[in-house]
């Protein structure tokens, strides 16, 4: 950091130049924090941008699962509509009554393994009619989700999760939050490369528009960095459309056509004009104990990942660290969200959308109202099926290019909590390095084994037990968070020097809701509900 040129006559660095960067409770340079909404026209555009970004996962997961369940394009379009509709409701519940953070609650990859396990269950394999098979499997996933939601509801609202997160220090939060972002690397460039002539231009354009153009063009207002997604997607989408129409993929293999062409999703033809998703639309849920246990494991993994994502969102929204009681409340409402997933029949559970957390960083707008507007867009476009299907048919490599940036932002905010820790302590180095390494290494083994053998490394006769172990150890943030949390709370933590090393004292005043007045401003419930539901 010290100034001064080369040569012997360099002036001695001034004292303040050698000072390290100051530690900040709240992230500076955020244009709009949680409680300060941007002007309405801008807020509506930013809300639409959040809606576009969350569409990726919302479309990709049902597109992968529904055909395996026996459903065609009609079923696929209806499932995507239902996922969108429930995501809108869950986002509103989370922003009004949960953590009150600007977090989008969308479909979660954590639940894919148990859902596939239900699809492959023996009792559905002898069903000849594909539509009937789809309905039966969907009811099976609904039953499992309804049971699994109780885990988060109980852990959240009983305050048990609050007691766990009280022991979270900045040091143990780093591997958890960092891998919530970085751990999704498989969804980044590998997705872009499925159709590199669309994905790569999107990635390059996004970086140029959001990072370089604002410095080259001085408008005095944040336009390019704030709306980079809205600028870049239409350009690349149009280019992909021209390639499709021009016949660039006429003789390509079907897989390439599926990823690259703009008319291959089958959603616009399959979607009804107007349809309101309703509970039990596929019939009455069916229950199976083993599948419910596997789904519970996924629910627990999603709970840990969401905790990391909530911490990332609170940072990018320029809020103070989330008090444990508020985290717990948010997890309880997320449990209600998974219950709604089960009642409506989305086929997949939900958790905090990591890509939308990254979008907060790109736009530097952490306003709660923007995310509530985006929830309005989700509900609106899920009911008007044909219009929603137009946006849902954006080719997947375009979304993968966005993920390269957004997941990176979330990983980086995880690393930023190191500012509270002593990086010159060997204890810190051991916990940080070992947790991150194991968090990448253990799931790598589980995923590699599964992709080769077709089943996980734990392969006993009890399928539910296999699913539980394989689900838990396939999640990178879960493994990293678990290792860091365990080591950080067992390795001579009572030492006063250790306490400082792990940064625990920085978060002391946020351990309880009442000790810092800013907690009230950011996290208190609306409509005077705090009187009835006090946060401790």
């Amino acid at each position: 950091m010290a100034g001064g040129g080369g040569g012997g006559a360099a002036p001695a660095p001034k004292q303040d130049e050698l000072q390290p960067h100051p530690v900040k409770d709240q992230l500076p340079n955020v244009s709009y924090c949680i409680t300060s909404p941007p002007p309405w026209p801008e807020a509506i555009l930013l809300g639409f941008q959040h809606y576009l970004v969350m569409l990726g996962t919302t479309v990709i997961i049902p597109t992968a699962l529904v055909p395996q369940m026996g459903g065609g394009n009609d079923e696929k379009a209806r499932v995507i509509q239902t996922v969108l509709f429930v995501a809108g409701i869950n986002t509103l519940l989370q922003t009004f009554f949960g953590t009150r953070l600007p977090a989008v609650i969308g479909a979660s990859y954590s639940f894919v393994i148990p859902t596939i396990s239900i699809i492959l269950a023996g009792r559905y394999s002898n069903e000849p009619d594909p539509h009937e098979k789809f309905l039966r499997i969907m009811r099976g996933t609904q039953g499992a989700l309804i049971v699994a939601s109780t885990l988060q509801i109980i852990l959240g609202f009983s305050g048990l999760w609050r007691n766990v997160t009280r022991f979270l220090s900045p040091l143990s939060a780093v591997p958890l939050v960092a891998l919530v972002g970085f751990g999704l690397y498989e969804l980044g460039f590998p997705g872009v490369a499925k159709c590199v002539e669309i994905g790569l231009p999107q990635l390059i354009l996004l970086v140029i528009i959001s990072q370089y153009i604002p410095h080259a063009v001085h408008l005095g207002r944040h336009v390019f960095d704030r709306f980079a997604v809205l600028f870049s997607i239409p350009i690349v989408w149009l280019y992909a459309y021209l390639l499709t129409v021009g016949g660039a993929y006429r003789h390509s293999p079907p897989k390439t056509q599926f990823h690259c062409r703009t008319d291959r999703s089958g959603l616009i033809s399959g979607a009804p004009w107007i349809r309101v998703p309703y509970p039990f639309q596929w019939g009455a849920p069916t229950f199976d104990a083993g599948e419910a246990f596997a789904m519970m494991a996924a629910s627990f993994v999603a709970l840990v990942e969401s905790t990391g994502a909530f911490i990332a969102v609170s940072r990018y929204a320029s809020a103070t660290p989330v008090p444990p009681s508020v985290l717990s409340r948010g997890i309880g409402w997320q449990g209600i969200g998974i219950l709604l997933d089960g009642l409506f029949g989305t086929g997949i559970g939900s958790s905090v959308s990591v890509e939308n957390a990254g979008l907060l960083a790109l736009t530097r707008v952490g306003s709660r109202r923007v995310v509530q507007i985006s929830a309005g867009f989700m509900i609106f476009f899920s009911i008007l099926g044909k219009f929603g299907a137009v946006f849902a048919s954006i080719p997947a490599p375009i979304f993968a290019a966005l993920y390269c940036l957004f997941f990176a932002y979330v990983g980086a905010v995880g690393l930023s909590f190191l500012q509270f820790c002593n990086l010159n302590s060997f204890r810190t180095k051991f916990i940080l390095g070992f947790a991150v390494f194991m968090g990448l290494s253990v799931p790598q083994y589980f995923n590699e084994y599964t992709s080769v053998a077709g089943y996980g490394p734990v392969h006993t006769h009890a399928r539910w037990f296999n699913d539980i172990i394989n689900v838990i150890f396939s999640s990178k943030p879960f493994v990293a968070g678990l290792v860091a949390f365990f080591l950080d709370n067992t390795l001579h933590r009572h030492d006063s020097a250790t306490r400082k090393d792990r940064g625990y004292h920085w978060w002391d005043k946020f351990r309880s809701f009442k000790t810092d007045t800013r907690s009230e401003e950011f996290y208190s419930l609306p409509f005077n509900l705090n009187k009835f539901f006090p946060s401790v």
Side-chain angles (χ1 to χ4, degrees), residues 361 427 448 462 493 497:
R427 179 185 183 274
E448 203 174 294
R493 68 192 178 113

Side-chain angles (χ1 to χ4, degrees), residues 273-519:
W273 279 104
I274 291 186
R275 180 173 178 278
V276 182
Y278 53 93
F280 308 124
Q281 51 187 349
W282 317 107
T286 57
F287 296 92
D288 175 274
E291 287 164 7
F293 277 124
M295 210 52 107
M296 268 195 174
S299 176
F300 187 58
V301 167
L303 173 150
V304 173
E305 290 178 2
S306 291
T307 302
F310 278 139
I311 293 171
V313 169
S314 70
R315 191 79 187 155
Y316 278 138
S318 192
T320 46
V322 196
S325 59
V326 173
L327 265 176
S328 204
R329 189 173 75 198
I331 292 297
W333 278 101
Q334 194 176 278
I336 290 181
I338 296 172
L339 178 63
L340 291 177
D341 286 325
L343 296 177
F344 279 85
T346 57
I348 196 84
S350 48
S351 68
V352 179
S353 158
V354 179
E355 52 269 39
N356 288 84
L359 181 60
L360 297 177
L362 185 76
T363 57
R364 299 197 190 178
V365 176
S367 155
R368 189 186 291 141
R369 180 178 294 167
V370 166
V371 170
Q372 288 164 344
I373 292 171
S374 82
F377 276 116
M378 292 171 213
I379 294 170
F380 178 75
F381 282 117
S382 67
I383 293 171
L384 294 176
K386 283 269 191 266
F387 296 106
V390 173
F391 298 112
S393 59
I394 296 174
I398 291 183
F399 287 114
L402 301 180
Y403 296 162
C404 289
L405 204 58
F406 296 151
F407 293 160
Y409 265 130
V410 175
V413 84
L415 298 182
S416 78
F417 289 113
L418 288 172
Q419 64 185 303
F420 302 107
C421 311
N422 177 10
L423 281 171
N424 292 324
S425 133
F426 275 100
R427 179 185 183 274
T428 305
K429 282 189 166 52
F430 165 66
I431 292 175
L432 175 68
F434 188 60
V436 171
F437 185 84
M438 294 312 279
L440 291 170
S441 193
V442 173
Q444 171 64 25
Y445 164 69
F446 272 78
N447 295 338
E448 203 174 294
Y449 190 103
T450 307
S451 64
V452 174
Y455 49 82
V458 181
H459 194 58
T460 64
H461 289 301
R463 226 181 74 235
W464 58 274
F465 177 72
N466 306 342
D467 288 340
I468 288 175
I469 303 297
N470 293 335
V471 165
I472 284 179
F473 289 108
S474 299
S475 162
K476 298 175 184 72
F478 184 87
V479 175
L482 183 72
V483 171
F485 186 84
F486 176 78
L487 292 174
D488 190 38
N489 283 299
T490 51
L491 279 176
H492 36 251
R493 68 192 178 113
H494 294 300
D495 232 359
S496 62
T498 303
R499 197 180 154 77
K500 275 204 165 56
D501 285 351
R502 57 198 281 236
Y504 201 77
H505 59 301
W506 284 105
W507 284 5
D508 263 351
K509 57 175 175 294
F510 306 109
R511 286 248 153 4
S512 127
F513 190 78
K514 305 247 177 344
T515 37
D516 193 284
T517 48
R518 292 170 293 180
S519 295

Side-chain angles (χ1 to χ4, degrees), residues 25-53:
D25 272 338
Q26 290 169 261
L27 185 66
N29 304 327
V30 171
S31 310
Y32 296 97
C33 73
I34 292 199
T35 46
S36 57
W40 276 104
E42 205 170 317
I44 288 169
L45 278 174
L46 286 163
F48 183 68
Q49 199 167 239
H50 270 282
Y51 160 72
L52 272 186
V53 166

